[in-house]
Amino acid sequence: KVPVLILSFFQHALNSGIRRYHVAPVLCQRAKVAMSHFEPNEHINYEKLEKNINIVRKRLDRPLTLSEKIVYGHLDDPATQEIERGKTYLRLRPDRVAMQDATAQMAMLQFISSGLPKVAVPSTIHCDHLIEAQSGGEKDLQRAKDINQEVYNFLATAGAKYGVGFWKPGSGIIHQIILENYSYPGVMLIGTDSHTPNGGGLGGICIGVGGADAVDVMAGIPWELKCPKVIGVKLTGKLSGWSSPKDVILKVAGVLTVKGGTGAIIEYHGPGVDSISCTGMATICNMGAEIGATTSVFPYNARMKKYLGKTGRADIAALADEFQQHLVPDSGCQYDRVIEINLSELKPHINGPFTPDLAHPVSDIGAVAEKEGWPVDIRVGLIGSCTNSSYEDMGRSAAVAKQALAHGLKCKSKFTITPGSEQIRATIERDGYAQILRDVGGLVLANACGPCIGQWDRKDIKKGEKNTIVTSYNRNFTGRNDANPETHAFVTSPEIVTALSIAGTLKFNPETDYLTGADGKKFKLEAPDADELPKLDFDPGQDTYQYPPKDGSGQHVDVSPTSQRLQLLEPFDKWDGKDLEDMLILIKVKGKCTTDHISAAGPWLKFRGHLDNISNNLLIGAINIENGKANSVRNALTQEFGPVPDTARYYKKMGVKWAVIGDENYGEGSSREHAALEPRHLGGRVIITKSFARIHETNLKKQGLLPLTFADPADYNKIHPVDKLSIVGLADFTPGKPLKCIIKHPNGSQETIMLNHTFNESQIEWFQAGSALNRMKELQQKSS
């Protein structure tokens, strides 16, 4: 096998030229292939994956799904691990960790607090969240470097000291960088961003987590995950015309809703898979986060092999070929649920507004918008983001724009383009796509998240003005993109965004409707066609990677005690061994409450490394059921209404514990652990809801809070904002045993309800220690 691998490597090198970014060295032993060329001494270990899979298959005595192969293939102890989908907690050994700059600050601050000298697995930091879209790529990037110099310096020096690779601002969006350099078939990667599942487009199990989970893995501690169920999506037929990979996940979101994937991995399979490009598969996996899925994954195939080769990783593809039986599902494997989609019949979709699961065929959206009173005139069209910024996406959008230009038309709406990485930016500039998109009226933004996460200095409307935007992004919650609650945001494919931006209205269906050219003649846009990968090599652009030194022990990491951006963490207090008596209710939330509602992004991103400052945004977007208002709650001690954070601080100052009452799927959306750190920092103890989103529930546990759910969801109506709550029986807090809640009403009457939880034994120890990080330190002290 060795000569085949070596020959494959040299053939690729000779055919495409060795570029400074993408050709990983092949070591002269079977399977000694580097995980990435940035880490030549860290190797892919398919033999261990194979060994673990065989142990588990023998134990379970049944065919395995692809998801199970990769997940169980990374078990810490495959011989004794209890395995039951949806029930048991798995102890896993992920291959690597990735962090974006907004969440990396808190993750690295927690890692520093652990006292460990170096990360135990390959890890990277990616600077993509702190660049605000304002006037264009170069100016916005330079402005971000100036404004965020303190934070970037902290991340760069912390990376150097603790052995973490650092991708500088301007390098691109974390998920695109991972796809280009780090994801591969069979990898298990965790990332501190909810759209980490993007890497499933290359056949990996890539899972979004909070920073405390990342610290566990970087510390070399087995990572816990509730054994996921597996939802199969069988694809038949073939994509064609205006239909795109984005339409697959828009359709699936409409079927499963924003919580239908909770606790499950979405596994795509079937003959239709081969009609989708590798980057198209990544798009589908990326937006799987919007249905609450643990992650999504596709089986290894020729489209992935082609992408690996084009990104300088033919050696990985050759190795994957050898182990392909472990990178696809077993014949006869069983899924917990199966959804079938015929790609030949799939029509272009557009989802929204205000939620990513409200699905409409593009052909219907104009009529639906008029009926619902949504603005049909499109103010801005935005393409790119981590979901849709591949070479193929930009090519299909340029193909649409080129047709408009040929008839003398430009976009009626404002139009922006966000390249996913420096490599994509440089390549679309070289191949002319960027110029075509500029010519049709587009503004090319920095290689960063930008408007997708609210980093948008929008000037064309006033806050509170009702308007519509269309994007190729993944998320469209209220105020998500521009902090305006009246912006109706719709998500669709980049080529549909481009077509709608040219027409300027939701009432345009590019499949059937005509545009009028500058010469007065009517014409119809033809369905776009573009190469999935460039004919030439990718142009890597500027070198934006900082290698960690072999020995970073002498590196100094500076955090000023007077900084407004960074703050070293103090340990949270331990549980005092008593029941939680007479807690006040900070807020009873009405309806949807995402992590954007709990800890807003946009202008607050600058405080992601300073817990006390960012806590001033706690729950400011949540709607108070008592008055129907956001950021207005009754202070139970003064009876005055005021902002949520101020009220929480007052309770903390007075030594009063408090709770939050939430609705369904509480904490959906981003993986940001600040939504758990903030309530803990300001004195919160319990969050009681009808149900939780997976990542947020785990984040709350990690920080020593009690996330509990109503045994009877109707009990949500028994609790009023003026009540007091007691959680009793904590001395007997054990896995699977509900906790008792006593509701004390102002008139002196009481009611008792039962609350469920999903804590296992080690998670209960987190609560008792005050946090998972506290528990880690306790164990370190015992072992030393």
Side-chain angles (χ1 to χ4, degrees):
K1 299 285 185 177
V2 176
V4 174
L5 284 173
I6 295 173
L7 180 61
S8 170
F9 169 74
F10 282 112
Q11 282 178 335
H12 173 76
L14 289 170
N15 290 339
S16 60
I18 297 178
R19 307 192 66 80
R20 70 175 184 271
Y21 262 27
H22 299 299
V23 178
V26 177
L27 305 183
C28 295
Q29 293 180 19
R30 184 178 186 273
K32 287 294 185 182
V33 174
M35 293 170 67
S36 95
H37 78 274
F38 296 108
E39 298 135 352
N41 297 318
E42 300 286 349
H43 306 117
I44 296 173
N45 195 345
Y46 280 150
E47 282 92 347
K48 183 178 179 181
L49 186 77
E50 181 177 54
K51 180 182 177 182
N52 287 2
I53 289 170
N54 289 338
I55 291 171
V56 173
R57 183 187 280 113
K58 185 176 180 180
R59 287 181 56 204
L60 299 182
D61 192 27
R62 61 172 173 79
L64 301 177
T65 67
L66 170 61
S67 306
E68 291 179 307
K69 288 183 179 183
I70 303 176
V71 172
Y72 304 161
H74 285 82
L75 285 170
D76 182 50
D77 185 0
T80 63
Q81 170 71 62
E82 188 179 357
I83 299 171
E84 185 178 356
R85 286 186 196 169
K87 296 287 180 67
T88 58
Y89 279 87
L90 306 179
R91 289 166 62 83
L92 300 163
R93 292 285 185 177
D95 297 302
R96 64 180 311 121
V97 173
M99 300 167 279
Q100 42 94 336
D101 51 354
T103 50
Q105 296 171 62
M106 198 58 68
M108 292 308 296
L109 286 166
Q110 290 178 83
F111 187 82
I112 291 170
S113 297
S114 75
L116 296 169
K118 191 174 182 180
V119 295
V121 301
S123 304
T124 50
I125 293 169
H126 304 259
C127 294
D128 60 1
H129 270 57
L130 302 180
I131 303 168
E132 185 181 54
Q134 193 174 76
S135 56
E138 291 185 11
K139 290 182 179 179
D140 292 346
L141 177 58
Q142 187 55 54
R143 180 169 172 265
K145 288 179 178 178
D146 294 340
I147 292 173
N148 302 306
Q149 183 180 7
E150 180 186 12
V151 171
Y152 291 148
N153 180 64
F154 166 72
L155 293 174
T157 55
K161 184 173 183 64
Y162 297 106
V164 179
F166 179 70
W167 287 86
K168 302 171 187 176
S171 60
I173 305 172
I174 178 174
H175 311 303
Q176 184 68 30
I177 298 293
I178 289 171
L179 198 72
E180 292 171 356
N181 298 282
Y182 298 116
S183 186
Y184 59 83
V187 71
M188 174 171 273
L189 179 152
I190 67 165
T192 61
D193 190 279
S194 58
H195 294 109
T196 300
N198 190 81
L202 254 178
I205 291 293
C206 303
I207 302 176
V209 299
D213 277 347
V215 171
D216 281 355
V217 178
M218 291 191 293
I221 297 172
W223 173 61
E224 286 193 341
L225 176 72
K226 181 175 275 191
C227 187
K229 294 183 177 181
V230 187
I231 297 174
V233 179
K234 183 178 180 181
L235 302 179
T236 60
K238 185 178 181 180
L239 287 174
S240 62
W242 284 91
S243 296
S244 73
K246 186 66 163 282
D247 298 306
V248 176
I249 186 57
L250 294 174
K251 176 71 174 178
V252 171
V255 173
L256 287 176
T257 76
V258 290
K259 66 173 186 174
T262 302
I265 294 176
I266 312 297
E267 183 171 313
Y268 294 86
H269 63 284
V273 166
D274 290 339
S275 76
I276 303 173
S277 67
C278 177
T279 52
M281 294 185 231
T283 290
I284 295 167
C285 292
N286 177 295
M287 198 174 160
E290 308 321 316
I291 54 177
T294 300
T295 192
S296 302
V297 68
F298 278 83
Y300 177 60
N301 66 2
R303 304 299 280 268
M304 295 183 191
K305 181 176 182 177
K306 185 177 180 181
Y307 182 81
L308 285 168
K310 204 66 175 179
T311 52
R313 295 176 287 171
D315 52 342
I316 294 180
L319 187 63
D321 285 344
E322 294 186 40
F323 288 86
Q324 185 163 12
Q325 62 175 318
H326 303 302
L327 306 175
V328 296
D330 286 340
S331 177
C333 67
Q334 296 297 307
Y335 297 99
D336 294 284
R337 176 181 178 181
V338 175
I339 299 167
E340 293 196 28
I341 298 176
N342 185 339
L343 300 179
S344 299
E345 297 175 355
L346 184 64
K347 290 292 186 181
H349 274 62
I350 183 168
N351 289 21
F354 305 123
T355 184
D357 59 352
L358 186 57
H360 322 271
V362 171
S363 56
D364 296 346
I365 188 60
V368 172
E370 287 190 319
K371 179 183 176 183
E372 298 292 337
W374 303 332
V376 295
D377 290 340
I378 298 167
R379 298 296 290 268
V380 189
L382 306 99
I383 66 170
S385 85
C386 65
T387 318
N388 277 112
S389 59
S390 68
Y391 186 81
E392 181 182 35
D393 289 328
M394 295 297 151
R396 284 173 67 87
S397 299
V400 175
K402 197 171 182 179
Q403 294 178 60
L405 290 168
H407 290 85
L409 296 185
K410 290 191 174 186
C411 291
K412 289 186 178 178
S413 310
K414 290 182 179 294
F415 186 51
T416 70
I417 304 98
T418 304
S421 69
E422 171 62 7
Q423 177 168 277
I424 291 295
R425 183 207 62 77
T427 306
I428 65 171
E429 288 286 1
R430 180 196 68 194
D431 293 352
Y433 290 166
Q435 191 56 49
I436 292 170
L437 295 170
R438 286 192 193 94
D439 289 345
V440 84
L443 174 66
V444 178
L445 302 175
N447 314 322
C449 301
C452 183
I453 61 163
Q455 284 283 48
W456 184 15
D457 186 19
R458 190 176 179 191
K459 301 291 190 185
D460 63 297
I461 60 160
K462 295 179 180 178
K463 189 169 183 178
E465 183 180 342
K466 198 173 180 180
N467 75 103
T468 284
I469 64 173
V470 291
T471 82
S472 69
Y473 303 162
N474 42 41
R475 197 165 280 164
N476 60 345
F477 301 136
T478 303
R480 164 80 179 180
N481 304 120
D482 60 1
N484 179 8
E486 291 300 323
T487 292
H488 294 57
F490 296 85
V491 291
T492 184
S493 68
E495 51 266 49
I496 292 293
V497 172
T498 306
L500 293 178
S501 299
I502 292 165
T505 176
L506 289 176
K507 296 167 72 173
F508 178 70
N509 176 11
E511 289 191 300
T512 58
D513 295 344
Y514 287 79
L515 294 168
T516 302
D519 58 2
K521 295 180 180 179
K522 293 187 177 295
F523 72 98
K524 198 168 85 167
L525 293 169
E526 295 179 5
D529 187 34
D531 294 331
E532 65 179 280
L533 295 165
K535 290 183 172 64
L536 302 173
D537 278 357
F538 277 108
D539 183 340
Q542 298 179 37
D543 186 352
T544 55
Y545 181 71
Q546 172 186 293
Y547 288 85
K550 289 184 179 180
D551 181 7
S553 59
Q555 177 70 53
H556 180 65
V557 181
D558 184 35
V559 178
S560 169
T562 60
S563 172
Q564 294 301 301
R565 299 289 301 271
L566 299 165
Q567 180 186 46
L568 292 174
L569 297 174
E570 295 292 332
F572 289 131
D573 59 309
K574 293 181 64 172
W575 175 54
D576 61 8
K578 302 176 182 178
D579 288 336
L580 297 170
E581 298 276 2
D582 294 331
M583 290 181 293
L584 299 179
I585 296 171
L586 177 65
I587 183 173
K588 182 179 180 182
V589 177
K590 178 182 178 182
K592 186 185 285 284
C593 190
T594 72
T595 48
D596 281 276
H597 294 87
I598 304 167
S599 177
W604 291 94
L605 284 168
K606 62 178 173 286
F607 296 127
R608 283 286 181 88
H610 197 294
L611 180 55
D612 194 57
N613 280 347
I614 200 168
S615 293
N616 289 322
N617 76 0
L618 175 65
L619 286 158
I620 61 176
I623 301 301
N624 180 9
I625 200 168
E626 186 174 6
N627 56 13
K629 295 180 179 179
N631 202 26
S632 175
V633 294
R634 182 195 302 271
N635 184 320
L637 301 180
T638 67
Q639 296 304 310
E640 296 176 355
F641 279 84
V644 182
D646 293 0
T647 306
R649 286 186 186 278
Y650 186 84
Y651 291 163
K652 181 180 181 180
K653 179 182 176 182
M654 302 303 292
V656 178
K657 298 179 176 66
W658 52 262
V660 170
I661 310 300
D663 211 315
E664 294 278 8
N665 208 29
Y666 183 90
E668 69 175 281
S670 166
S671 68
R672 66 192 67 153
E673 66 179 337
H674 299 78
L677 284 159
E678 292 174 34
R680 182 72 165 97
H681 175 63
L682 294 185
R685 286 295 185 267
V686 182
I687 313 292
I688 305 171
T689 71
K690 294 180 182 177
S691 63
F692 285 98
R694 174 191 64 86
I695 300 176
H696 186 59
E697 182 182 25
T698 300
N699 286 345
L700 291 168
K701 293 178 183 178
K702 288 277 186 177
Q703 303 307 333
L705 285 149
L706 285 177
L708 306 173
T709 56
F710 295 104
D712 180 357
D715 288 344
Y716 170 87
N717 297 316
K718 292 181 178 179
I719 299 178
H720 305 287
V722 292
D723 294 336
K724 293 182 179 180
L725 303 178
S726 295
I727 306 296
V728 298
L730 286 174
D732 299 318
F733 189 16
T734 53
K737 182 180 178 181
L739 291 169
K740 184 183 294 184
C741 175
I742 300 172
I743 307 168
K744 300 179 181 180
H745 301 300
N747 63 7
S749 64
Q750 296 186 5
E751 294 181 76
T752 299
I753 62 173
M754 300 307 293
L755 301 174
N756 294 331
H757 66 85
T758 61
F759 281 80
N760 61 24
E761 289 182 3
S762 62
Q763 292 171 345
I764 290 172
E765 291 174 353
W766 299 345
F767 167 73
Q768 293 168 340
S771 71
L773 190 58
N774 287 358
R775 181 57 181 158
M776 183 196 298
K777 290 180 180 178
E778 287 179 353
L779 293 173
Q780 286 173 355
Q781 290 169 358
K782 286 181 181 179
S783 64
S784 61

